[in-house]
Amino acid sequence: MKKFINTKLNPFFTFSSCDICESKCCDGRNGTVFSQLLLEDFELVSKRFPIVFLLGDLGFLKPVILLTNGKSYCRYLKDSKCSIYETRPSICRVYPLSPHLTNDIFIDTLCPAVNEKGNILINNGIITQKSFNNEIFDNYKDKYINMHLHFENYNNKENLEVLIEIAGDTFYKFKEDFNDKYLKIHQSSLKNFDGYFTT
């Protein structure tokens, strides 16, 4: 499982190495099933993962990337290594960090490499390791609101069809693309939805 906290709660967080764990962050059995997307993510992730939609508690429509089937590791994990490392999604690039609507940076304290002996990853709320400093953190709140407003135009349950339910969450696809760039990408990404997700 994961436990994200605001990095403002502690002045320093260290990160040792991904080599000390058996890819827990890529394991559907540990809660890695999906991750929310921004409009800026669509092009890259659509090449290898299905982009689907969730209906939030308040009825908001949220695009997400399906990372696993909830029962096994990410399909791109080979011999405990990411086989698409150079083109992996931004959420994978920044883990164990995560952006937040407050524009604060959150960290998964259950990641085995966090606060183990290693290099400082967060220093007073600032990312210090270049490999983790991704543009996803830049004005995240504005990007999130922009994404929400874009899909608000299509937020009608009649436009949606249930695709699959995984770990208690229902994921939807659009019945048509409405001549919208991002919905076209969503529909083309469904070529990545195959037996891996339904077994």
Side-chain angles (χ1 to χ4, degrees):
M1 304 309 283
K2 295 178 172 63
K3 181 181 178 183
F4 284 95
I5 66 166
N6 195 326
T7 57
K8 287 184 175 178
L9 295 177
N10 291 310
F12 300 103
F13 289 91
T14 60
F15 183 84
S16 57
S17 168
C18 290
D19 295 335
I20 71 168
C21 102
E22 297 178 350
S23 308
K24 288 179 69 175
C25 58
C26 304
D27 191 346
R29 296 165 298 182
N30 283 326
T32 300
V33 173
F34 69 92
S35 179
Q36 190 159 291
L37 290 177
L38 299 174
L39 296 178
E40 291 82 356
D41 298 319
F42 269 54
E43 290 276 3
L44 176 64
V45 302
S46 68
K47 295 172 184 174
R48 297 191 185 265
F49 297 90
I51 296 171
V52 295
F53 290 83
L54 279 173
L55 284 172
D57 295 337
L58 299 177
F60 297 130
L61 193 62
K62 300 190 293 188
V64 299
I65 173 179
L66 272 185
L67 295 166
T68 76
N69 57 18
K71 302 174 215 171
S72 59
Y73 286 96
C74 172
R75 69 197 309 173
Y76 298 111
L77 193 72
K78 309 293 182 195
D79 299 321
S80 296
K81 300 289 182 187
C82 178
S83 65
I84 58 166
Y85 190 79
E86 295 303 322
T87 56
R88 68 199 189 281
S90 58
I91 196 66
C92 301
R93 291 177 182 275
V94 301
Y95 182 83
L97 303 178
S98 178
H100 193 268
L101 263 178
T102 59
N103 284 331
D104 293 331
I105 299 167
F106 278 56
I107 190 167
D108 180 9
T109 56
L110 294 184
C111 168
V114 169
N115 287 336
E116 289 296 307
K117 288 183 180 178
N119 296 321
I120 294 175
L121 175 58
I122 297 289
N123 185 352
N124 289 313
I126 297 172
I127 301 169
T128 59
Q129 292 188 31
K130 186 178 179 181
S131 60
F132 288 92
N133 202 354
N134 188 284
E135 61 187 15
I136 194 173
F137 294 110
D138 299 337
N139 300 311
Y140 181 80
K141 180 178 180 180
D142 291 342
K143 292 174 184 175
Y144 179 89
I145 291 171
N146 185 41
M147 176 276 298
H148 167 72
L149 291 175
H150 182 86
F151 289 112
E152 183 63 19
N153 297 323
Y154 308 102
N155 194 356
N156 183 332
K157 204 161 184 182
E158 292 181 4
N159 296 331
L160 303 170
E161 180 180 321
V162 173
L163 181 64
I164 194 170
E165 186 172 308
I166 301 176
D169 289 308
T170 302
F171 299 96
Y172 297 87
K173 67 178 182 177
F174 271 82
K175 295 177 182 176
E176 58 180 296
D177 61 31
F178 296 96
N179 201 28
D180 176 87
K181 172 184 175 180
Y182 298 103
L183 291 182
K184 286 181 184 297
I185 295 172
H186 149 66
Q187 292 203 322
S188 72
S189 79
L190 295 178
K191 68 184 181 293
N192 301 308
F193 183 83
D194 54 24
Y196 167 79
F197 291 99
T198 57
T199 57

